[in-house]
């Protein structure tokens, strides 16, 4: 359509799971590549087009960076990098009127997650809930929100302490 309004940095995923001593170095490199570097590359490529439309970027982080779990250190570090990148890029692009936010979903109901976690897991995030959160941050109604990481999970609210809710 000749313009760019809202790129979503959705690329990523959990590919390296396990104790840090048992994970190969190339697993670390892969996790950083698919979660953080792709976010950087897409954002960098979009900036000039977004400056013309006063658009916004919505990144995908993960609740894993706020809620420590064993065997997820590399993934959580990559997603924490996405969150930090979101904060810094929002500050950097503020004068250009480009907003940058992220969503941080919990465990998403996918066939793979249901197979590994189980169908009875009570706190799955549904794809529609992620879409709703994305649209909330992408619309003009959120024009004053930038540099925000929006957690999307009910489980998070009941398993963290107040220090975890607002990390500085």
């Amino acid at each position: 359509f000749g313009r760019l309004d809202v790129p979503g940095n959705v690329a990523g995923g959990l590919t390296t799971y396990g104790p840090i001593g048992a994970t190969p170095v190339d697993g670390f490199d892969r996790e950083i590549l698919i979660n953080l570097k792709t976010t950087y590359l897409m954002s960098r490529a979009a900036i000039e087009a977004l400056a013309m439309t006063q658009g916004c970027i919505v990144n995908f982080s993960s609740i894993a960076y706020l809620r420590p779990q064993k065997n997820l250190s590399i993934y959580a570090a990559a997603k924490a990098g996405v969150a930090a990148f979101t904060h810094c890029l929002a500050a950097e692009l503020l004068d250009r009127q480009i907003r940058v936010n992220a969503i941080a979903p919990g465990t998403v109901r996918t066939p793979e997650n249901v197979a590994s976690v189980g169908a009875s897991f009570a706190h799955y995030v549904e794809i529609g809930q992620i879409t709703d959160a994305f649209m909330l941050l992408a619309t003009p109604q959120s024009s004053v929100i930038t540099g925000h990481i929006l957690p999307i999970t009910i489980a998070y609210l009941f398993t963290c302490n107040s220090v975890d809710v607002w990390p500085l």
Side-chain angles (χ1 to χ4, degrees):
F1 299 105
R3 60 183 283 146
L4 181 62
D5 293 296
V6 186
N9 287 313
V10 183
L14 171 60
T15 64
T16 306
Y17 180 84
I20 197 73
T23 54
V25 172
D26 66 335
F28 175 86
D29 294 339
R30 183 176 53 254
E31 209 69 40
I32 296 299
L33 172 70
I34 68 171
N35 288 291
L36 182 55
K37 189 173 183 180
T38 57
T39 299
Y40 157 75
L41 292 171
M42 175 69 138
S43 299
R44 186 171 188 255
I47 290 171
E48 292 310 315
L50 289 171
M52 294 188 292
T53 62
Q54 295 179 344
C56 66
I57 296 170
V58 179
N59 295 323
F60 276 63
S61 184
S62 169
I63 207 68
Y65 96 95
L66 286 171
R67 190 168 164 241
Q69 297 176 59
K70 65 180 184 175
N71 298 323
L72 286 181
S73 351
I74 296 170
Y75 175 75
K79 290 303 190 176
V82 171
F85 179 75
T86 298
H87 290 304
C88 293
L89 192 59
E92 183 177 324
L93 299 179
L94 187 61
D95 290 342
R96 297 188 76 179
Q97 297 183 1
I98 300 170
R99 295 180 303 111
V100 184
N101 293 295
I103 59 175
T107 305
V108 180
R109 185 185 306 275
T110 64
E112 298 82 9
N113 285 342
V114 169
S116 67
V117 178
S120 63
F121 181 65
H123 301 296
Y124 278 116
V125 175
E126 304 297 336
I127 298 293
Q129 294 168 315
I130 293 172
T131 304
D132 290 346
F134 183 95
M135 293 306 295
L136 170 71
L137 293 175
T139 61
Q141 287 80 3
S142 61
S143 63
V144 297
I145 300 171
T146 192
H148 183 68
I149 314 299
L150 179 62
I152 307 171
T153 177
I154 192 96
Y156 170 71
L157 297 174
F158 299 108
T159 58
C160 64
N161 62 44
S162 60
V163 174
D164 292 329
V165 175
W166 302 106
L168 299 176

